[in-house]
Amino acid sequence: LFFPRSIAVIGASTREGSIGNNLFRNLLNTGYTGTLYPVNPRTQVVNAVRAYPSIKDVPDEVDLAFIVVPATQVLDVVRECDEANVRGLVVISAGFSEVGEEGAEMEAELLDLVRNAGMRMVGPNCMGLLNTAPSVSMNGTFAPVYPPAGNVAMSSQSGALGIAILQYALRTGLGISQFVSVGNKADVSGNDLLMAWEDDPQTDVILLYLESFGSPRRFARIAPRVARKKPIVAVKSGRTATGSRAASSHTGALASLDVAVDALFRQTGVIRVDTLEELFAVASLLSSQPVPKGRKVAVVTNAGGPGILAADALEANGLHIPEFSEATQSRIRANLPSEASVRNPVDMVAGAGPEEFAHVVSTILDAEEVDSLLVIHVPTSDTGVQRVATALHSIAAAYQGSTTLLSVFMQSDAAGAFLRSEEANIPTYPFPEAAAIALSRAVGYGEWLQRDPGEVPVLDGIDLEAARRVVEEALAGRDESGVWLEPAATEALLAAFGLDLPRAGTAATPDEAVRVAREIGGPVVLKVISESALHKSDVGGVLLDIEGEEAVRAGFASVTAAVAEHDGVLVQEMVPGGHEVLIGVTEDPNFGPMVVYGLGGVYVELLKDVAFRLTPLTDVDAREMVNEIRGAKLLEGYRGFPPGDVDAVIRTILRVSAMAASIPEISEMDMNPVMVLEPGQGVRVVDARIRVKPVRQGWFPSLDDLPAVVRRPR
């Protein structure tokens, strides 16, 4: 696909402005190094090149065919390509799955033809692909622009955005190695491209514009490996509430498609950005500068206002602006006027020229007290931009260290030309905020590279056969909507994975409630059992700290009166003290099971202080979940409160992850609250609800094929 020795354009046209004409002309005009064959049965010549009526009439072997014919003709053309031994296809033609059911059926037939012939296909409904390598020089798109050669590869799921992306790359000077518009992704997908670019010597940075995931689980396996070699920067559209699904559990209500995408990218090291502008901002930085080693940033400017804006933006994005040492301040001050500020940010005042910029920048780079340096220039003369940019470029070309260098040239688009060469390339931005965001994303990626990925622990004390029996009995005779497990079944399923609820029993009458409470001993909790009261505390279906026969009888009457219909009451041992947290599971139809952790109790949906991860979790994933929520300090003993058993919380999260990974019927699960006791005393799962539903035929593997987390003792 990327290195064809010969190309045929089937549907190459003489009609000016048509896609077939634009595509063929682009291949000619950018100096494609192979042999080019236009195919058109209605003309003998296209753009001064001899045309052939059919691919079968081309006298030589063709490696790659671009298909630009009506959708109804594509299948016949592909059959002819198979007969002609064509190995790669780029189907530009639209009219397939994007237009409805009939088009989807035709696309499925197209894919069958391609697979059976042993070909690979980009598209259909795409803009094409290009490769700027001098050995190929292939512009196989119908876009009106051809970007400069460089080290950034990109995949776009949108053809229209692809054109805008190439234009933006040309305008900003971002060099492209390869570009692919994947269209409907019937065959070649983003995952295939990641693997192709992983070892591509032309490519150092990978950009993705995504509208959907074909196989998120495959992406989760491929992306971390690639990201450790080359940064992957992605824009994923569809962040709004329309991507959320209705759910009745706390966990489900907190989850959405975008939460799943965030979890996937966080775990795989993919740099997520919000806009195409940010995508290019990050790409410009990572394609030209070393990945920042830390969060310490220096700011150098000739204008106080932009320096303040930069400091605010950097710190708002989690970066740190440390004060320079006295020795460094003294060296900086040597060539600056007395009114200059040298602590960091360095404000050289408006009169600073290329000599002052060169002195301060080289001094800071030599001092190595920061990880990154942001240079801001506000032009004060017609020649100032060129002179300052040239001075910075000279310093960067001679610099041998690892400090990340980036610039802001305000009110000027001309600086970029003087900051780029084969010896050095300094990314430049129009405003400090854009530079700060790009730098913060790069810093986060650098921290992910340094992060210990951990390992998925092998857990003991798991009875998978018992868990399967609980689920199968609950689903017997149920439809695809599934069922919430009864309290006894919930307790049995949790126990099968080493998670125990407090002692409890069910009671259909006040007398039975008194008997169960007496057997438990001490204060108890009463919870109504009713399908209409999933959030029992919301309707008055829970009473705490009940002790004594009269109190139990009165409590039974109170909680059952809170609902119209009930199946009795759960009488449960009272667990005093501890911090309340939530640990749960929700099943995303595309991404699989996600584990959630956060503050528990009735405030979980109000505060939404939660962390999500896709299963299976490593021990590092689980610890990061505990530490990243805003309420993490509560378990550290915040403001006189007792600390919590964090290690026990992590062990519990890992067991929940193992449960979610090996019991695919679990669609939603809440353990809320989980009482976190003091260090060494563990946790107690006070309340739990689990919803199970059938999985599609063939999804669940045999017991021998289950994840190792549930098969071997530690």
Side-chain angles (χ1 to χ4, degrees):
L1 290 168
F2 285 117
F3 295 89
R5 294 163 299 178
S6 55
I7 293 175
V9 178
I10 304 173
S13 174
T14 58
R15 183 165 56 87
E16 194 72 24
S18 67
I19 290 178
N21 182 269
N22 290 344
L23 176 62
F24 188 77
R25 188 176 63 248
N26 283 348
L27 286 164
L28 279 175
N29 292 346
T30 52
Y32 169 59
T33 59
T35 310
L36 194 57
Y37 302 98
V39 175
N40 188 326
R42 291 186 294 275
T43 185
Q44 295 184 343
V45 176
V46 177
N47 282 36
V49 180
R50 179 188 174 183
Y52 297 86
S54 165
I55 186 67
K56 294 189 293 183
D57 297 315
V58 175
D60 302 312
E61 282 196 2
V62 173
D63 289 338
L64 177 62
F66 289 83
I67 299 177
V68 195
V69 300
T72 54
Q73 300 175 23
V74 169
L75 297 180
D76 289 336
V77 168
V78 171
R79 293 186 183 98
E80 292 180 350
C81 288
D82 182 19
E83 294 177 26
N85 201 35
V86 177
R87 302 268 54 87
L89 301 177
V90 179
V91 181
I92 306 292
S93 311
F96 290 88
S97 61
E98 78 278 6
V99 299
E101 185 175 342
E102 184 177 345
E105 292 174 359
M106 192 160 56
E107 186 172 303
E109 187 177 352
L110 169 62
L111 182 59
D112 284 342
L113 285 174
V114 170
R115 295 272 170 86
N116 290 334
M119 295 186 282
R120 295 308 305 266
M121 174 181 67
V122 172
N125 183 35
C126 73
M127 193 186 79
L129 54 79
L130 60 82
N131 184 355
T132 63
S135 61
V136 183
S137 295
M138 175 181 63
N139 183 6
T141 76
F142 54 84
V145 294
Y146 187 59
N151 61 348
V152 177
M154 182 166 187
S155 165
S156 173
Q157 201 169 335
S158 165
L161 272 176
I163 295 175
I165 286 165
L166 294 179
Q167 289 175 330
Y168 195 89
L170 181 64
R171 187 168 71 251
T172 59
L174 182 69
I176 301 294
S177 58
Q178 297 171 5
F179 172 87
V180 187
S181 163
V182 293
N184 295 357
K185 300 191 299 183
D187 181 31
V188 171
S189 67
N191 291 332
D192 297 314
L193 293 168
L194 284 179
M195 290 190 290
W197 289 329
E198 178 180 5
D199 298 313
D200 176 36
Q202 290 175 252
T203 299
D204 295 321
V205 178
I206 298 169
L207 308 184
L208 305 174
Y209 170 74
L210 301 169
E211 294 175 354
S212 65
F213 284 92
S215 176
R217 298 178 190 184
R218 187 164 174 248
F219 182 93
R221 295 195 301 270
I222 297 168
R225 186 185 74 232
V226 178
R228 293 207 169 271
K229 299 179 181 179
K230 303 174 181 182
I232 303 170
V233 192
V235 172
K236 170 65 180 70
S237 59
R239 304 193 65 134
T240 60
T242 55
S244 300
R245 65 181 179 89
S248 52
S249 70
H250 289 297
T251 303
L254 292 164
S256 70
L257 175 62
D258 201 55
V259 167
V261 174
D262 269 338
L264 176 65
F265 286 170
R266 178 189 292 267
Q267 288 171 257
T268 56
V270 174
I271 305 167
R272 184 172 192 178
V273 295
D274 297 327
T275 65
L276 290 174
E277 186 176 11
E278 287 182 22
L279 183 79
F280 281 98
V282 176
S284 295
L285 178 60
L286 292 174
S287 64
S288 60
Q289 291 290 311
V291 176
K293 294 188 295 185
R295 293 186 169 266
K296 295 183 292 183
V297 186
V299 177
V300 175
T301 180
N302 66 336
I308 296 170
L309 288 174
D312 289 344
L314 290 165
E315 294 197 344
N317 283 279
L319 304 180
H320 176 48
I321 304 176
E323 186 171 331
F324 293 126
S325 66
E326 286 294 334
T328 298
Q329 290 186 46
S330 178
R331 287 194 292 270
I332 292 172
R333 188 180 292 109
N335 282 24
L336 295 181
S338 59
E339 61 268 26
S341 174
V342 298
R343 297 170 63 186
N344 192 18
V346 177
D347 179 6
M348 302 179 294
V349 304
E355 295 80 10
E356 287 79 11
F357 271 97
H359 163 69
V360 174
V361 168
S362 58
T363 299
I364 293 172
L365 291 177
D366 290 341
E368 295 187 344
E369 294 181 13
V370 294
D371 305 301
S372 303
L373 170 56
L374 173 59
V375 180
I376 304 173
H377 178 259
V378 178
T380 57
S381 69
D382 294 339
T383 61
V385 171
Q386 178 179 346
R387 295 172 63 218
V388 170
T390 301
L392 289 179
H393 181 269
S394 298
I395 293 170
Y399 179 60
Q400 300 296 317
S402 59
T403 302
T404 303
L405 181 61
L406 63 166
S407 66
V408 172
F409 279 77
M410 300 182 70
Q411 302 176 8
S412 174
D413 296 327
F418 306 105
L419 295 169
R420 292 190 295 268
S421 75
E422 292 184 3
E423 291 77 26
N425 191 344
I426 305 173
T428 186
Y429 304 91
F431 297 107
E433 294 84 355
I437 292 173
L439 184 58
S440 71
R441 301 289 191 270
V443 168
Y445 171 66
E447 291 174 343
W448 181 85
L449 287 175
Q450 299 170 31
R451 166 187 181 267
D452 175 10
E455 60 182 24
V456 178
V458 179
L459 305 173
D460 56 7
I462 293 178
D463 188 344
L464 188 60
E465 287 78 5
R468 296 294 319 151
R469 285 194 299 270
V470 171
V471 172
E472 288 164 4
E473 289 174 6
L475 289 176
R478 296 283 182 173
D479 60 24
E480 62 182 17
S481 64
V483 63
W484 289 98
L485 295 183
E486 297 292 336
T490 297
E491 182 176 356
L493 184 55
L494 292 177
F497 280 85
L499 300 166
D500 294 325
L501 288 163
R503 290 176 297 158
T506 57
T509 66
D511 288 342
E512 290 181 9
V514 169
R515 177 183 56 78
V516 173
R518 187 179 298 119
E519 292 173 356
I520 292 173
V524 296
V525 178
L526 303 180
K527 304 175 182 178
V528 67
I529 303 172
S530 173
E531 290 189 3
S532 65
L534 293 176
H535 299 307
K536 302 175 184 64
S537 59
D538 291 351
V539 297
V542 177
L543 288 177
L544 306 176
D545 204 14
I546 304 301
E547 190 169 12
E549 180 175 336
E550 290 186 9
V552 171
R553 291 182 183 277
F556 185 99
S558 175
V559 297
T560 54
V563 295
E565 296 182 2
H566 66 85
D567 297 314
V569 167
L570 179 71
V571 184
Q572 188 179 63
E573 174 189 2
M574 177 72 185
V575 178
H579 300 281
E580 294 186 352
V581 299
L582 160 76
I583 302 174
V585 173
T586 184
E587 171 75 20
D588 184 276
N590 296 306
F591 291 78
M594 293 189 294
V595 176
V596 61
Y597 166 80
L599 294 180
V602 298
Y603 301 111
V604 59
E605 287 183 39
L606 175 64
L607 300 178
K608 291 184 172 60
D609 187 17
V610 293
F612 280 89
R613 294 292 188 277
L614 297 170
T615 60
L617 272 64
T618 68
D619 49 356
V620 172
D621 289 330
R623 187 170 294 278
E624 285 181 348
M625 290 179 76
V626 173
N627 291 334
E628 78 180 43
I629 67 169
R630 296 187 300 277
K633 290 185 178 295
L634 291 174
L635 299 187
E636 299 172 2
Y638 182 70
R639 304 195 74 167
F641 285 93
D645 194 337
V646 173
D647 290 338
V649 173
I650 292 169
R651 291 194 297 269
T652 304
I653 291 173
L654 290 170
R655 288 191 174 271
V656 169
S657 172
M659 180 189 301
S662 53
I663 306 293
E665 290 90 345
I666 296 175
S667 60
E668 294 182 58
M669 183 179 87
D670 274 351
M671 298 195 309
N672 180 33
V674 176
M675 306 305 296
V676 184
L677 307 180
E678 294 189 33
Q681 297 184 21
V683 302
R684 303 295 296 275
V685 181
V686 173
D687 194 16
R689 299 183 303 110
I690 302 175
R691 184 178 184 84
V692 294
K693 64 180 182 181
V695 296
R696 59 185 181 272
Q697 188 68 28
W699 195 96
F700 188 74
S702 68
L703 295 185
D704 291 338
D705 294 329
L706 281 170
V709 293
V710 298
R711 286 198 288 113
R712 301 191 302 271
R714 185 185 290 276

